[in-house]
Each structure stands twice: as structure tokens, then as C-alpha cells.
Amino acid sequence: MVTRCTIGVDIGTSSSKGVLVDEDGRVLASSTVAHTVDRPRTGWVEMDGELWWTEFVRLTAQLLTAAAAEAPEVVGVGVSGMGPCVLLADEDGRPVRPAILYGVDTRAATQVDRMTAEIGEAEIVRVGGSRLSSQAAAPKIRWVADEEPDTYSRARRLFMPASWLAHRLTGAYVLDHQSASQTSPLYDVDAGCWHDGLWQRYAAGIEQPELRWAGEVAGEVTAAAAAETGIPVGTPVIAGTIDAWTEAVSVGAHGDGDLMLMYGTTMFLIATGSRTLRTPSMWTTVGAFAGTRNLAGGLATSGALTDWIKDLTASDYTSLVAEAERSGIGARGLVMLPYFSGERTPILDPDARGVVAGLTLGHARGDLYRAALEATAFGVRHNVETMRAAGADIRRIVAVGGGTQARLWLQIVSDVTDLVQEVPSVTIGASYGAAFLAAGATSAIPRIDRWNPVDVVIRPDPAARAAYDALYALYLELYPATRDIAHALAARERDRALTPQETS
């Protein structure tokens, strides 16, 4: 007896993940392939787009092999990926250069400033919903045109990881509305379509992708793709969307009043409502589904920061967590700024840098680790307070992502923010959400609360609130107090990185 199922694959910053899920939401198989990004210069973060397809093929083979005893019949494919990214390709869909990643890549600061001056900030916000920052895709398209004109002259198509996988599977050239809304100011968030005038001005020569919603079918698996993946010819493939939004789908956190916290390499927050909210320091986008609007934000480092401390101290997470618990609230007198890759929201400062204040010879690695966990929690609180000030009605918080396995981290975030967090039973994240969207596109729409019910509720400890309020106030003071020094150091590093070989 065969088991009808869907495949979900997500291309992330540090790994690609795949799941095979049956019609009841049961995970038949899961697999992960680790990878690294390329950082050829300070502020540059890239990946080879062909790697995304190679890993998709590898994951699919692993999933189908692992679940062979279930006799899986794949009836739909869901795709997802980090973003917004800029993968430019020629008319045949071949990449003309490595993909430029989302807000962690800060190379296009000059283009951000120039486009803002040319268009005007008010008009950019009116059309695209948000000010331009390192998160926006359009300035990165312009960077390629300005800095690599020969490469840009061969570019005809724009992809992101999900749309790239959909293209390789089906031949379709589509982009979902949510991802499109992060190409600001090329997409009109209120009209729900491309802005032709700004597209021709800043993405001339590139064909506009056809727009779809995340769960809509982009096309069907071709014979060539079937031969590579083992997925049957004609299987529907959804358009997919950016991983954070797919993660929200995976836990049902896309309703009016919901806030999703994604614990991953970076931290991402998505507040959902029915109204378009605009505020200078957050990202206004359309939602994964028609009729929804989002106010979103993100920390440039979270899991990446804890990984860095683990590697730097040659330790392991079990030891670090135990030592951080013993360190206690305030990490024995430390306050950290988690801006080790610049910062996205709400300060929108690619030249921000990490700071550890209060260090003494008496501090140990567990104190540093505790300070890092608290720093990301302070960053979450800063974002939540900014969202609420803009009018976001946040009534339900759902945590998702690999970091939810770290219960100390979850507790610290709840204590710092005074928020109750729901943790679902399945925290695989975006790949699971992609499989759910594929199931909805190919049969009767399932209910995510049946697929993935709440498993754990994290409640804030009232006894911790006063101490964390005081530490949060110091956190807010630390950035403006060190900003000028951080900017000067960032400028020195850029100058040092421009070697004669790079500038020739």
C-alpha cells in the first residue's frame, strides 16, 4: 500500500533541509545537508546557486531512500529558501554570478544611498513599504550593474532560492508575492504588482517573473528533473517563498495578531495583520497568503553568534548551556551588543559591530555565552517594542526553528520580553511548512493545528523582570555610546580589505 506524501525542501544559510510528510503531517523522513557561505570580502556574503539544486537532488534521494518501507507516492513538492537573495541568470536560467544573500550582505550601501536620493525616501516607502537597507534586493541588483557591468549584461532573470528550485523542477519563471515585496522598491505593496517604472529604471534588461502566492502551483516536474530527483513527471510544485514566512506557515503563525520568532542562524520576527503598517526601522511586506500584511524584522546574528562562541572556546553546547545557567541573570556583569554582522532591524546599521561591556579577568566562557543569549533576547524586545509602536497588534507568539531546542534560550527571551511563547511539536521549520503548502495545493487544505499542535508553552518568570528591565536599559544605551567607534573600525576594515589585487 502506497503512502501519499509531499516533499518540502528549504535552502538555508548554513544548511539545506528536507522532509517527506504524509497527509496527516507525520514526518516519514528528514535530512539535512550542511554548507557554508562564501565571504570573499568584508560585508559580502554569497553562495553558488547551482549548489542549491545539487543539494535538493541529494536531499530528495536521501528522503525517498529513508522512507522506502512506507512506499511513498510523492504528490506535491514544496520549496523554500533564505531571502531576499539576488541570483541573476541568463535567458536559459544559468547563473551569471554567485547569489548575493539577504541583509547579512552589506555591499550595496552606496546603491542604497543613491537610490534613496534619486527616488526620495517618502516615495520608496509609499511604493515598497520600507526604507531601503541592506535587506532590500533592488540595490544589490544595481550593485551588479554598477560594479560588474559585463556580468549584468548577460543577466535576464532574477531568482531567489525557492523560485530557483521551482524553475529547475518545472521550467517556470515565477516569484511569489512575498519575496517580490522584498525587492523594494520594484514591487508595489498596495497594488500587489511590479512597479514597471522603477523596474525599468533599476532592473533594466531583466524579465519580470510572473507573480504567484506561496502555496500556488508554479508548474509540474519535467522529465529532465524527474530523472535527476526521482520525483514523478507531472508532480505539482508550488512557488514557495522565503524561509521565515514558510516557518510561520509551519506553525500556523500567519493569522491576524500572530508573531513568529524564528530561532536560527539569524533571528527573524514576523507580525501578521490585515493592514499595511509602515515604520522607518522595520520591513513592511505582503504576507504569504493573499489579504495578509506583515511587519517584519530580523537580527543579523543569533545562532551564528552562539556558534561563534562555541567554536572560539573549543567547547560544546551542553557545557556552555550548563555554565550559562550557573552564570545567572546579567552574566555576572556583562552586557553584549549582538551586532557581529552589522544589524538589521530596528537600527538598520550594516556598520554596527559586536560589543561586550563589563569584561574582567574573572569572566569565563559561560558568562560570554549567557551574555550572547541575553543580547539576542534584548534584540527581540527592541524589535517587538518597535512593532507595537507602529500599531502591530501582537496577541500570540509562536517560536520555531532549531534554536527552540535550547530551552534556556527560550526562557531568557520570555523573561526579557515578558512574552509567553508557544512551541509546536514539530520545530523542523521551513521545510515542514513547504510540505504543508504543497499538500494544500494538491488536495483538500489540511489544518496546521492538526499537523503540528502546540507542545510546550514558555512563560516569563516574574522574578526576572526587574533585573532584565535594568539590563535592557543599559543595552539601549550601549549602541549609541559605541556607534561612532564601531563605524570608524568598520571603515578601517573596509580600507584594509581593498588590496591592490581586489581594486585592479
Side-chain angles (χ1 to χ4, degrees):
M1 182 177 178
V2 299
T3 303
R4 288 170 56 88
C5 57
T6 54
I7 284 177
V9 172
D10 173 65
I11 307 295
T13 307
S14 57
S15 65
S16 294
K17 300 177 183 178
V19 291
L20 190 68
V21 184
D22 72 11
E23 292 181 302
D24 297 321
R26 182 171 59 102
V27 177
L28 304 181
S30 63
S31 187
T32 300
V33 178
H35 57 232
T36 58
V37 298
D38 296 323
R39 300 179 185 269
R41 294 192 195 178
T42 300
W44 293 23
V45 188
E46 302 182 343
M47 279 194 74
D48 178 5
E50 289 291 349
L51 179 65
W52 302 341
W53 175 246
T54 300
E55 292 186 346
F56 180 91
V57 172
R58 181 179 172 186
L59 286 168
T60 300
Q62 292 173 344
L63 294 170
L64 294 175
T65 299
E70 301 277 355
E73 177 190 358
V74 179
V75 298
V77 180
V79 289
S80 169
M82 57 189 164
C85 300
V86 172
L87 178 63
L88 298 179
D90 63 19
E91 60 271 17
D92 296 319
R94 293 186 297 257
V96 297
R97 72 170 323 282
I100 301 174
L101 301 196
Y102 50 97
V104 294
D105 185 293
T106 60
R107 74 182 70 192
T110 298
Q111 286 70 26
V112 167
D113 292 342
R114 187 172 71 238
M115 290 172 66
T116 300
E118 290 171 351
I119 305 169
E121 185 173 293
E123 180 65 5
I124 289 172
V125 172
R126 186 192 70 80
V127 174
S130 308
R131 295 164 53 190
L132 295 185
S133 69
S134 64
Q135 184 76 355
K140 295 174 183 180
I141 297 173
R142 285 314 307 165
W143 183 92
V144 179
D146 293 342
E147 302 295 329
E148 300 176 354
D150 290 342
T151 297
Y152 187 80
S153 69
R154 296 184 285 118
R156 296 293 180 271
R157 293 185 170 184
L158 168 66
F159 293 103
M160 297 191 191
S163 65
W164 172 245
L165 294 182
H167 173 72
R168 291 299 297 263
L169 286 163
T170 71
Y173 179 45
V174 301
L175 189 66
D176 69 284
H177 284 271
Q178 204 297 308
S179 299
S181 71
Q182 298 206 48
T183 65
S184 181
L186 305 182
Y187 177 93
D188 189 318
V189 295
D190 286 329
C193 63
W194 296 117
H195 190 290
D196 290 333
L198 292 174
W199 183 283
Q200 292 307 317
R201 187 173 182 181
Y202 294 107
I206 298 176
E207 178 186 351
Q208 293 177 352
E210 188 174 342
L211 293 168
R212 294 275 195 278
W213 291 101
E216 291 183 336
V217 173
E220 298 179 345
V221 173
T222 65
E228 287 193 72
T229 64
I231 300 171
V233 174
T235 303
V237 180
I238 62 166
T241 189
I242 291 173
D243 53 6
W245 278 259
T246 321
E247 293 238 19
V249 169
S250 77
V251 293
H254 51 77
D256 198 358
D258 288 346
L259 175 72
M260 183 211 68
L261 295 182
M262 184 181 80
Y263 291 75
T265 304
T266 66
M267 180 80 78
F268 213 86
L269 305 89
I270 303 174
T272 300
S274 57
R275 295 185 299 128
T276 301
L277 299 176
R278 291 173 168 86
T279 185
S281 56
M282 306 299 290
W283 304 316
T284 297
T285 74
V286 301
F289 302 102
T292 59
R293 293 289 185 270
N294 297 129
L295 201 57
L299 280 64
T301 59
S302 56
L305 178 54
T306 58
D307 281 345
W308 177 75
I309 293 175
K310 176 178 70 69
D311 294 342
L312 185 69
T313 60
S315 186
D316 59 82
Y317 281 126
T318 300
S319 299
L320 286 171
V321 168
E323 292 166 14
E325 287 178 332
R326 291 195 295 271
S327 178
I329 294 174
R332 297 199 306 126
L334 298 182
V335 174
M336 180 184 293
L337 293 181
Y339 309 152
F340 284 61
S341 295
E343 187 55 297
R344 297 190 282 177
T345 61
I347 67 171
L348 301 177
D349 185 355
D351 286 341
R353 291 294 181 263
V355 175
V356 184
L359 274 173
T360 71
L361 295 176
H363 284 107
R365 63 187 186 184
D367 303 314
L368 279 174
Y369 192 74
R370 175 82 186 209
L373 297 180
E374 292 180 344
T376 60
F378 294 143
V380 170
R381 179 170 171 177
H382 199 184
N383 276 273
V384 169
E385 290 182 352
T386 305
M387 287 176 167
R388 283 179 163 159
D393 179 20
I394 298 172
R395 301 190 301 273
R396 176 173 175 260
I397 298 91
V398 185
V400 67
T404 58
Q405 303 303 312
R407 293 303 164 89
L408 175 62
W409 196 5
L410 288 170
Q411 188 63 56
I412 289 173
V413 169
S414 281
D415 291 346
V416 166
T417 62
D418 200 33
L419 296 174
V420 176
Q421 296 179 81
E422 296 180 3
V423 184
S425 58
V426 179
T427 58
I428 293 172
S431 57
Y432 191 75
F436 176 80
L437 287 173
T442 57
S443 61
I445 299 177
R447 285 178 50 178
I448 194 62
D449 60 336
R450 293 180 179 174
W451 268 42
N452 195 12
V454 173
D455 181 50
V456 174
V457 177
I458 306 295
R459 302 185 185 280
D461 178 3
R465 186 58 194 258
Y468 275 132
D469 282 349
L471 290 165
Y472 178 63
L474 294 175
Y475 171 87
L476 292 179
E477 291 180 21
L478 188 56
Y479 168 64
T482 58
R483 177 175 49 209
D484 291 346
I485 295 172
H487 286 184
L489 293 172
R492 287 174 61 88
E493 181 63 16
R494 276 194 298 274
D495 292 342
R496 187 194 66 79
L498 293 175
T499 64
Q501 290 80 10
E502 291 173 332
T503 56
S504 62

